Amino acid sequence: IKLIDTVWLNIYDNMALGLLRDGESKASGSMTAEDKVIEMARALEIGDSLWKLPEELSGGMKHRAALGRTFLAVSNGPRGG
């Protein structure tokens, strides 16, 4: 697993990457992309670390951030191909 390959982005931006890359607007559906990231971070118990850089996190927190990014990207629906 490649943990966080965009080390210049904070954890919030890393987790939002999948949502924003797929063209999700900031106000898509009933929850904004920001709401989704914050909710996922809270569920993974990394909500207090959203504005930190990956190098500032422990290994376990990096794993949870990567899981959050993956979960958000997958929950965003299938990609056309």
Side-chain angles (χ1 to χ4, degrees), residues 41-69:
R42 285 183 182 151
L44 295 169
E45 299 181 359
I46 56 172
D48 292 339
S49 301
L50 282 175
W51 307 113
K52 293 183 179 183
L53 294 173
E55 64 192 30
E56 299 175 284
L57 300 182
S58 68
M61 291 177 85
K62 288 179 186 179
H63 280 279
R64 286 184 270 164
L67 281 171
R69 182 173 63 178

Side-chain angles (χ1 to χ4, degrees), residues 19-20 22-36 75-77:
L19 296 173
L20 301 176
D22 292 339
E24 179 167 321
S25 71
K26 295 240 180 217
S28 164
S30 61
M31 289 182 74
T32 65
E34 180 178 2
D35 292 338
K36 290 178 182 180
S75 71
N76 201 31

Side-chain angles (χ1 to χ4, degrees), residues 11-21 33-34 37 69 72:
I11 300 308
Y12 172 87
D13 291 332
N14 266 288
M15 290 179 66
L17 193 62
L19 296 173
L20 301 176
R21 183 193 65 219
E34 180 178 2
V37 171
R69 182 173 63 178
L72 289 169

